Amino acid sequence: MPATVEFLPESGAPSLLFLLFHGVGLDADAMRPLAEPLVAEYPQAAVVSINAPHAYEGPTSGRPGYQWFSPVGIDDATRRDRVRAALPEFVAVVRSLTARFGLPWQHTALAGFSQGAVMALEAVQAEPNLAGRVLAFGGRHATLPEHAPVDTTVHLFHGMADTVIPHGPAVEAAKRLVTLGGDVTADVLPGISHELHPLLVDKAIGQLRTFVPRKVWEAAMREAPLMSRPASSTELGGD
């Protein structure tokens, strides 16, 4: 299991689990700008930020960094292959932490930035019943989705000024998931580059608070009582 930075409830067992995955060349501590607002909003949640398992192979920033797959010489074809190769280890980490906290997969959310977002998005595409939500910041699918993940809500957050991973593929994937009947939101904000920006974090907290998955709406509509129509004048005895 890769090293983690953990925020646990002050008392009692957690009722929700947020698993956070950093960008390439960073580490678990880089996800604090998201972890701390999640802790404040959900004090009974376990928020766990996870180091990717492999040493970073790109230019160094002066501190150790980690990766799920190498960014060296990356293009669309190599990204697909490298993500596919990394997925079993990623899924195993998610399954292990969900089991550790004894929570159902529906109470688990995966949140990633950049490469971490790529891994989270592709994991729920490849693995059924892995997480109830995905929060993807500055990421993209490695492959345009061919199906919507069942009972998993996907939230995409991107800056319009992002030149590392432009927002176009995220918007395209959101449109595809909607067409496929999935639950998806996409927030693309101007003036934000490739970063875990506070405005994007605020959008994420807002989506967690307010977004109602389609299945919940449909169940509520089925269970709602039929509205009685107004009685006509004839039924009321009028002329």
Side-chain angles (χ1 to χ4, degrees):
M1 172 75 67
T4 62
V5 174
E6 300 184 357
F7 302 84
L8 304 179
E10 291 185 3
S11 62
S15 56
L16 294 171
L17 175 61
F18 290 92
L19 301 180
L20 278 50
F21 301 93
H22 61 78
V24 67
L26 303 176
D27 59 18
D29 203 54
M31 296 301 289
R32 282 183 183 272
L34 176 61
E36 291 170 357
L38 287 173
V39 170
E41 186 72 22
Y42 299 99
Q44 281 307 119
V47 180
V48 182
S49 186
I50 299 136
N51 277 346
H54 306 292
Y56 176 50
E57 296 177 4
T60 180
S61 63
R63 66 174 184 175
Y66 304 92
Q67 64 186 32
W68 287 95
F69 58 89
S70 174
V72 176
I74 198 86
D75 57 25
D76 285 348
T78 55
R79 182 184 297 105
R80 286 192 294 270
D81 292 342
R82 292 174 191 182
V83 169
R84 190 178 300 115
L87 275 176
E89 189 169 17
F90 184 91
V91 169
V93 168
V94 174
R95 294 286 191 204
S96 175
L97 286 166
T98 303
R100 171 190 160 190
F101 289 100
L103 290 170
W105 65 270
Q106 297 93 331
H107 292 196
T108 298
L110 312 182
F113 169 67
S114 194
Q115 189 180 95
V118 174
M119 294 302 301
L121 289 168
E122 288 297 330
V124 296
Q125 288 294 125
E127 186 79 5
N129 304 339
L130 186 66
R133 300 223 188 193
V134 171
L135 309 174
F137 297 84
R140 55 166 293 173
H141 290 79
T143 304
L144 194 63
E146 296 183 356
H147 68 276
V150 178
D151 294 339
T152 299
T153 301
V154 174
H155 300 290
L156 304 169
F157 308 97
H158 227 105
M160 291 185 70
D162 190 337
T163 58
V164 177
I165 300 181
H167 68 279
V171 173
E172 185 180 7
K175 292 177 179 177
R176 172 67 67 87
L177 288 170
V178 169
T179 300
L180 294 168
D183 283 315
V184 60
T185 68
D187 291 285
V188 181
L189 302 186
I192 294 175
S193 59
H194 194 65
E195 56 186 315
L196 198 55
H197 194 281
L199 291 178
L200 295 179
V201 172
D202 288 346
K203 284 288 185 182
I205 298 296
Q207 293 290 6
L208 289 171
R209 286 182 190 144
T210 61
F211 184 81
V212 179
R214 180 178 305 188
K215 185 175 75 171
V216 176
W217 271 116
E218 291 173 347
M221 293 299 292
R222 287 194 299 268
E223 295 171 5
L226 293 174
M227 296 294 292
S228 58
R229 62 176 175 82
S232 69
S233 60
T234 301
E235 291 169 326
L236 293 174
D239 294 331

